[in-house]
């Protein structure tokens, strides 16, 4: 990673370290991050939580005000409604406290396994494997798994990798995917694990 100076940090890592609004900011930040660049997500979440400090305040926010704040990210109309809806449930059903179990999290509107697992890892430091495009891509490139979708990748990684490493997987793979093992033109020349990589072995033999 030292080949990229400075390496890009992940949005969720930054939110975790900043502790802008605790687990609730991680939950909302993960929802907002879908199909959005990390740097955009981080900026928006900081502004959002400077105005709405907790679930109750966001639950009572006006839709148009939230839309103005998050307008710079993709699908902001849908996401504005979604995060207000989630805030209302957290406020009323859970008394402002984000649940720390998978079943409760995936029951929230718009929260799938990846988002729920991100909350478990980054908000509560509970072992889980959030699989986004980076984790899915790199796992298959390395040959750790041979899967067609993120759900399959999560299950296979859970089978193969010791639980004590689960928390580190997403952040490690996402940073590596953003900085080194990019979707197009991966930086194989500086990669320290290329000798163990299925993708590198195949491309090297072809070339």
């Amino acid at each position: 990673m030292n080949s990229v100076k400075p390496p890009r940090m992940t949005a969720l890592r930054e939110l975790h370290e900043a502790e802008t609004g605790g687990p609730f900011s991680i939950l909302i930040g993960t929802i907002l991050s879908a199909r959005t660049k990390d740097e955009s997500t981080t900026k928006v979440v900081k502004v959002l939580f400077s105005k709405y400090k907790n679930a109750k305040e966001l639950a009572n926010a006006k839709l148009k005000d939230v839309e103005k704040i998050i307008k710079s990210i993709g699908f902001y109309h849908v996401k504005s409604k979604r995060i207000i809806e989630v805030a209302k449930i957290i406020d009323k059903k859970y008394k402002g406290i984000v649940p720390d179990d998978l079943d409760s999290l995936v029951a929230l509107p718009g929260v799938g396994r990846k988002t729920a697992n991100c909350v478990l890892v980054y908000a509560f430091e509970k072992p889980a494997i959030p699989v986004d495009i980076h984790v899915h891509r790199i796992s298959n490139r390395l040959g750790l798994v041979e899967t067609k979708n993120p759900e399959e990748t999560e299950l296979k990684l859970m089978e193969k990798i010791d639980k004590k490493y689960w928390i580190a997987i997403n952040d490690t793979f996402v940073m590596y995917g953003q900085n080194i093992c990019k979707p197009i033109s991966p930086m194989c020349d500086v990669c320290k694990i290329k000798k163990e990589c299925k993708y590198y072995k195949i491309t090297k033999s072809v070339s």
Side-chain angles (χ1 to χ4, degrees):
M1 205 75 75
N2 291 330
S3 300
V4 182
K5 297 182 179 180
R8 289 174 56 192
M9 303 295 284
T10 66
L12 293 178
R13 163 89 78 84
E14 290 185 351
L15 288 175
H16 173 74
E17 293 181 352
E19 295 186 347
T20 307
F24 186 61
S25 69
I26 299 293
L27 172 60
I28 298 302
T30 308
I31 294 172
L32 293 177
S33 70
R35 301 182 186 181
T36 303
K37 292 182 178 180
D38 276 1
E39 51 267 34
S40 299
T41 302
T42 303
K43 291 178 182 177
V44 163
V45 172
K46 287 180 179 178
V47 175
L48 185 69
F49 278 88
S50 68
K51 183 169 184 177
Y52 306 108
K53 308 295 185 185
N54 50 50
K56 182 179 287 294
E57 291 185 8
L58 183 56
N60 292 318
K62 293 181 179 179
L63 179 61
K64 63 179 182 179
D65 292 337
V66 174
E67 287 182 340
K68 287 180 182 178
I69 293 174
I70 73 167
K71 192 173 182 179
S72 62
I73 67 175
F75 307 96
Y76 74 94
H77 286 301
V78 174
K79 289 179 180 179
S80 295
K81 293 178 182 178
R82 183 59 48 75
I83 63 175
I84 291 175
E85 186 180 6
V86 168
K88 288 178 178 178
I89 295 173
I90 297 297
D91 178 44
K92 293 180 180 179
K93 185 175 181 179
Y94 297 103
K95 302 185 185 304
I97 306 298
V98 176
D100 62 353
D101 66 280
L102 185 66
D103 290 341
S104 296
L105 287 168
V106 296
L108 295 170
V111 176
R113 288 189 65 90
K114 190 208 81 172
T115 297
N117 283 330
C118 281
V119 174
L120 292 177
V121 168
Y122 292 97
F124 299 108
E125 297 187 350
K126 287 192 168 187
I129 304 179
V131 177
D132 60 7
I133 55 173
H134 297 291
V135 178
H136 179 62
R137 179 180 71 253
I138 295 175
S139 296
N140 277 276
R141 273 186 179 172
L142 288 174
L144 287 173
V145 300
E146 291 185 10
T147 54
K148 296 180 179 180
N149 57 61
E151 290 76 17
E152 288 182 14
T153 301
E154 179 191 348
L155 295 176
K156 289 295 183 182
L157 289 177
M158 288 171 69
E159 290 176 7
K160 292 190 171 187
I161 298 177
D162 193 302
K163 198 171 185 177
K164 66 182 179 181
Y165 297 118
W166 289 6
I167 288 179
I169 289 175
N170 182 264
D171 191 64
T172 302
F173 279 35
V174 171
M175 281 195 68
Y176 213 68
Q178 290 177 338
N179 294 285
I180 304 295
C181 194
K182 300 177 181 181
I184 300 174
S185 301
M187 299 168 63
C188 296
D189 55 325
V190 300
C191 180
K192 302 298 184 183
I193 56 175
K194 60 188 176 186
K195 291 183 180 179
E196 310 300 325
C197 177
K198 178 181 176 182
Y199 172 86
Y200 180 74
K201 291 175 182 177
I202 292 173
T203 55
K204 184 180 179 181
S205 65
V206 171
S207 60

